[in-house]
Amino acid sequence: MLIYKIINVRRTSFVRAGGRKYQFAVITICKRDDIYFIQKGKSHSLNKAIEKSKIVPASMQKCFYSTREDIPIIFRSSYGKTSVVLCPALNNRLTAGGICKVILDFVGIKRGICKNIGTRNVSNVAEIIKRYFHILYEYR
């Protein structure tokens, strides 16, 4: 069974002969059988963009696993102009902002701190968090 949450919807428009055209870009986080993946979908209609973003990737490099409820190690990474710091929390709650909180909450992380430094581009933050879970899975 596929469970998904829409992280971001972006609408762009351009004018051509015959009128204004719209294009939608959707980023979703999905879960299927304890495997998580973050996908993007683009289309001229919002419904088609959402359907494209729910397609399971063929490569397992794009997927990640999560079996923990906390962030065990300090992790710093950057992607483009975005930097993210993930570290363990002293209290029993998740302290994160924006897109980090949405992704970590969906994955099941209940304790930790996440700080965005630099730009808060949704695609870049999602890529960094995906890297974190890959590293955590390799060193478990």
Side-chain angles (χ1 to χ4, degrees), residues 23-84:
Q23 185 163 358
F24 296 92
V26 177
I27 300 175
T28 60
I29 181 167
C30 304
K31 176 185 177 184
R32 175 176 279 166
D33 303 328
D34 294 331
I35 299 172
Y36 296 90
F37 53 94
I38 297 171
Q39 288 287 92
K40 299 175 188 173
K42 291 182 179 180
S43 181
H44 291 287
S45 95
L46 182 59
N47 291 336
K48 286 182 183 177
I50 292 171
E51 289 302 316
K52 285 182 179 181
S53 69
K54 294 191 298 184
I55 296 172
V56 179
S59 170
M60 289 305 287
Q61 279 295 103
K62 296 182 179 179
C63 301
F64 59 92
Y65 299 90
S66 175
T67 57
R68 300 188 65 102
E69 289 188 353
D70 62 343
I71 295 173
I73 57 172
I74 295 174
F75 177 78
R76 292 184 186 118
S77 182
S78 61
Y79 186 81
K81 298 260 184 189
T82 304
S83 296
V84 172

Side-chain angles (χ1 to χ4, degrees), residues 6 49 57 66 85 122 128:
I6 297 173
S66 175
V85 178
V122 175
I128 291 170

